[in-house]
Amino acid sequence: MTELQERLRQLNLYGDQVNGSFTRPVEDAVRNYQLARGIQGDTLGVYGPATRKSLEGETSEP
């Protein structure tokens, strides 16, 4: 989960603590990312396979 937080931080979508918890700010950041990228296949706010593939494709490994 810290990797997700770090990747969202690289895109300036997440600015809270990197602690490995899937909190509301993380969910909101994932939702905003999905909406901005037009990601389909995952429920909004859920870090599913389509979202992961897209996010990993445009960020570097933390």
Side-chain angles (χ1 to χ4, degrees):
M1 196 56 58
T2 57
E3 180 178 335
L4 169 60
Q5 292 170 326
E6 290 286 355
R7 287 182 186 274
L8 290 168
R9 181 173 277 190
Q10 288 177 36
L11 299 175
N12 296 314
L13 293 171
Y14 178 74
D16 210 345
Q17 292 181 342
V18 176
N19 57 13
S21 297
F22 195 85
T23 59
R24 183 58 187 255
V26 175
E27 181 181 349
D28 290 344
V30 169
R31 181 181 294 107
N32 289 335
Y33 176 77
Q34 291 167 321
L35 289 170
R37 300 305 187 275
I39 295 171
Q40 298 184 1
D42 294 333
T43 302
L44 283 178
V46 175
Y47 188 49
T51 304
R52 178 185 299 263
K53 182 178 179 182
S54 178
L55 186 60
E56 288 179 351
E58 68 175 291
T59 58
S60 58
E61 188 171 339

